[in-house]
Amino acid sequence: MLKYVIKRILLLIPVIFGVTALVFFIMSLSPGDPALAILGVDAEPEAVEALREKLGLNDPVIVQYGRWLWNFLHGDLGTSYASGRPVLEEYFYFFPGTFKLAFWSMFVAVIISIPIGIISAVKQYSLIDNVGMVGALAGLSIPNFWLGLMLIMVFALNLHILPSGGATAPGAVILPAITIGTGMTATITRMTRSSMLETVRQDYIRTARAKGVNSKKVITHHALRNALIPVVTIICMDFGYCLAGASTTEIVFAWPGIGRLTVNAINSQDRPLAIGCLAMTAIAICVSNMVMDILYAIIDPRIKLTGGGK
Amino acid sequence: MSKKNKKAETTTGRKNISKRQDITRRFLRNRNSVIGLVVTAIFVFVALFAPILVDYDTQVIQQDIPNRLLHPGEDPDHPLGTDELGRDVMARLIYAAKMSLAIGAMAVIIAIAIGVVIGASAGYFGGRVDTILMRIMEVLDGVPSFLMALTICASLGASVYTLMIAIAVGSIAAQSRIVRSAVLTVKNNEYVEAAKAMGASDMQIIFYHIIPNCVGTIIVQFSVKIAGGILHASSLSFLGLGVQPPDPEWGAMLSGGRAYMLDNPTLTLFPGLCIMVVILAFNMLGDGLRDSLDPRLKG
């Protein structure tokens, strides 16, 4: 197990290098001048030039990247141009918000999709199955920013029962969690359904039925436990992607989270913050994928952890 | 070959039908996929004929401030009302279909073209080529595709072309991985060995023997990924980084209507409905195509 974890962490290193180099290069193509953006358009040309020199913007991109990488390896991701605070501090200031939202979104997704997935599988090709599957697909097809706005329109502006944004008011997490959660139901529902369908065809289910176990108990005790193993994987993977922050949802609900932080940083060409956020996101996704693989091996002892990659 | 096939089918007691007929029959039997096909066809039709259906200069971008924020049905000239600058919502929705579908389709064509080359090379050559290409794809995958597209759009400046490239780059990794696994299943078939024995070059084998046999997978991907492309394009336009004013785009229209949500909710309702319906239709079509072209993948 330890060997496996070390191997995965070593594999993470080239990915982080690649991601940051790529983002660094793309952002350096931007015609905007960060120094001018910080000082404002009315700034003296000398002051702008001095700041460019101070920020190291006059060096070639490769030198800038080298310097960034060196600092990164020393745990320093630089300082945000906009707020003047260290990037890591900014990131971890917003991280709890995104984590909380990710947790509740997963909660919504799971309580909707697992029951629908089970019912669809048990009553395959029935009306419920068809409606459930199309409904799950519809959940995937609704743009998050639109669903968010519609929920605000109904529950905040017209019914006045839930706050329209922010994170401080009680119940503020409900609407954004529903928005993100419904988008994730499609994959989880389908996975639950196909996994259940596969499991109920297994020999031990037939044995249980033959023994005279009632069909409800067969489903809940025998089939469900085994069928949920691949579903747990999908859930963990979705959770990893949630940690990147749901940008449009966070913006619609003015939710203080990583997604909004990243989008604002990219939009305002706040390079240290943008690159720092994207690097941290890549790490978060890789780590959650690794945790998922390990969890998978714990839940299902038939799986052996070998090799690296995906 | 057809003779042999017929014989095989008659011995198994099946009707004499070609593979194509079989696929068509399977596709038409699924109600959802037919609905998906019809709705998609309507949107494609509207998109193709948008310049004929509405006049860009006088209807789509012509401002008419005295008639701004008309509700649907208030004025027979504007069946779906007007937006904050007095432009006809219906005309803009129709023209936006052209923008969204063109962006989605182009982005996916670029992504598939690159994905097929990378995936096919990785799958066919295997070994070191495979390792290196897949490591590069892992890097592209390290950042969620939406954030990658956002970075590209923000850095290169927002325009329709940047949007296409940005969305394409975001989905190359997934695309090549799917093509790679399709190639791996085809690669060891006898006909590939036969082609090799006859002295065909690697390129000939990849382009004449392997890729045509992965076409089913690629068509399914095309339909599903267009849905994703349209969603990304509208999200980026919603954030102000996609299609630029005065050109209409569903995400951008939605963003413009946000300020009037209380009094003119239809300004945000209609563009969102369009996005949802078109994406749902492409997804349903993609599911149907997958079930009929490649029943093994049925979920």
Side-chain angles (χ1 to χ4, degrees), chain B residues 172-191:
Chain B
I172 287 174
Q175 214 59 259
S176 14
R177 202 163 288 139
I178 290 162
V179 174
R180 175 178 171 268
S181 59
V183 169
L184 284 179
T185 57
V186 172
K187 184 178 146 186
N188 294 323
N189 284 346
E190 283 93 351
Y191 56 80

Side-chain angles (χ1 to χ4, degrees), chain B residues 82-99:
Chain B
T82 55
D83 69 359
E84 69 276 14
L85 293 170
R87 297 171 295 197
D88 185 50
V89 171
M90 176 99 144
R92 287 180 73 75
L93 285 176
I94 290 173
Y95 209 81
K98 182 185 141 179
M99 302 297 271

Side-chain angles (χ1 to χ4, degrees), chain B residues 32 116 230 295:
Chain B
N32 289 347
V116 163
I230 293 173

Side-chain angles (χ1 to χ4, degrees), chain A:
Chain A
M1 178 73 89
L2 187 66
K3 213 171 140 192
Y4 174 77
V5 172
I6 292 171
K7 201 169 173 188
R8 281 298 289 259
I9 291 173
L10 288 178
L11 278 172
L12 179 60
I13 294 170
V15 173
I16 300 292
F17 281 164
V19 166
T20 50
L22 188 67
V23 174
F24 219 96
F25 174 70
I26 294 172
M27 293 200 83
S28 71
L29 292 175
S30 157
D33 183 351
L36 200 64
I38 297 168
L39 294 172
V41 274
D42 304 328
E44 301 279 333
E46 295 82 28
V48 174
E49 193 46 43
L51 188 64
R52 281 184 67 85
E53 197 60 47
K54 192 180 152 220
L55 296 173
L57 292 169
N58 289 333
D59 298 328
V61 181
I62 188 93
V63 175
Q64 291 184 41
Y65 179 64
R67 194 164 42 221
W68 183 88
L69 204 56
W70 181 252
N71 290 334
F72 174 69
L73 293 174
H74 291 80
D76 175 16
L77 286 174
T79 325
S80 159
Y81 289 161
S83 67
R85 294 202 301 169
V87 168
L88 267 183
E89 199 177 290
E90 288 267 303
Y91 183 86
F92 284 110
Y93 178 78
F94 285 101
F95 188 75
T98 287
F99 193 86
K100 185 180 169 192
L101 188 54
F103 177 82
W104 286 110
S105 310
M106 290 314 308
F107 180 76
V108 171
V110 167
I111 58 166
I112 296 177
S113 38
I114 290 189
I116 295 182
I118 294 170
I119 296 171
S120 294
V122 174
K123 299 195 186 302
Q124 198 188 359
Y125 302 128
S126 69
L127 185 68
I128 299 180
D129 180 23
N130 204 9
V131 170
M133 286 302 111
V134 174
L137 207 53
L140 183 76
S141 307
I142 302 177
N144 273 352
F145 54 90
W146 183 63
L147 180 61
L149 287 175
M150 290 299 120
L151 290 174
I152 291 178
M153 197 152 30
V154 175
F155 292 100
L157 297 181
N158 287 318
L159 298 176
H160 302 287
I161 48 175
L162 286 167
S164 66
T168 44
V173 78
I174 298 175
L175 292 184
I178 292 175
T179 307
I180 302 173
T182 47
M184 293 187 297
T185 49
T187 39
I188 304 178
T189 313
R190 290 167 153 220
M191 195 71 193
T192 312
R193 179 174 178 271
S194 60
S195 174
M196 269 308 265
L197 283 175
E198 204 170 297
T199 315
V200 291
R201 288 189 198 127
Q202 301 285 326
D203 288 342
Y204 63 85
I205 299 294
R206 205 167 9 158
T207 312
R209 288 229 166 92
K211 265 189 352 188
V213 181
N214 70 36
S215 61
K216 204 173 172 187
K217 214 169 173 190
V218 170
I219 296 296
T220 52
H221 277 235
H222 298 263
L224 193 56
R225 271 191 201 185
N226 289 291
L228 283 186
I229 293 173
V231 179
V232 171
T233 327
I234 291 284
I235 293 174
C236 289
M237 211 152 93
D238 278 347
F239 190 76
Y241 278 96
C242 276
L243 291 183
S247 333
T248 49
T249 311
E250 287 182 1
I251 288 169
V252 165
F253 288 98
W255 182 267
I258 304 296
R260 197 160 65 113
L261 181 73
T262 313
V263 170
N264 287 342
I266 294 172
N267 252 341
S268 59
Q269 291 289 314
D270 189 342
R271 284 185 206 173
L273 188 59
I275 293 163
C277 282
L278 290 173
M280 292 304 287
T281 295
I283 295 176
I285 291 175
C286 288
V287 169
S288 74
N289 280 345
M290 185 174 81
V291 171
M292 169 189 90
D293 283 346
I294 294 169
L295 260 181
Y296 202 34
I298 293 172
I299 309 173
D300 189 350
R302 286 170 297 183
I303 309 263
K304 275 210 182 100
L305 293 176
T306 48
K310 283 176 190 172

Side-chain angles (χ1 to χ4, degrees), chain B residues 178-282:
Chain B
I178 290 162
V179 174
R180 175 178 171 268
S181 59
V183 169
L184 284 179
T185 57
V186 172
K187 184 178 146 186
N188 294 323
N189 284 346
E190 283 93 351
Y191 56 80
V192 174
E193 249 167 68
K196 244 184 231 171
M198 285 168 73
S201 71
D202 285 339
M203 284 298 132
Q204 276 173 326
I205 295 176
I206 292 179
F207 284 102
Y208 289 107
H209 300 282
I210 292 192
I211 291 180
N213 282 295
C214 301
V215 151
T217 315
I218 295 168
I219 291 176
V220 174
Q221 279 307 305
F222 188 76
S223 178
V224 174
K225 292 287 155 137
I226 276 194
I230 293 173
L231 188 61
H232 276 352
S234 62
S235 305
L236 286 168
S237 300
F238 177 75
L239 296 177
L241 283 168
V243 176
Q244 294 301 301
D247 280 341
E249 202 277 346
W250 292 326
M253 289 173 72
L254 224 158
S255 169
R258 264 177 88 178
Y260 310 95
M261 243 163 46
L262 208 51
D263 298 320
N264 292 67
T266 51
L267 282 183
T268 38
L269 185 72
F270 290 141
L273 272 180
C274 286
I275 303 174
M276 189 187 107
V277 171
V278 76
I279 293 175
L280 184 61
F282 271 111

Side-chain angles (χ1 to χ4, degrees), chain B residues 52-117:
Chain B
I52 299 170
L53 292 169
V54 294
D55 187 63
Y56 184 75
D57 289 321
T58 59
Q59 287 181 291
V60 180
I61 57 165
Q62 175 73 53
Q63 299 183 8
D64 180 15
I65 301 297
N67 283 324
R68 70 194 284 267
L69 296 175
L70 289 179
H71 288 282
E74 214 173 307
D75 181 344
D77 286 344
H78 305 291
L80 295 182
T82 55
D83 69 359
E84 69 276 14
L85 293 170
R87 297 171 295 197
D88 185 50
V89 171
M90 176 99 144
R92 287 180 73 75
L93 285 176
I94 290 173
Y95 209 81
K98 182 185 141 179
M99 302 297 271
S100 294
L101 290 188
I103 293 167
M106 266 321 286
V108 177
I109 289 171
I110 299 171
I112 287 185
I114 301 174
V116 163
V117 173

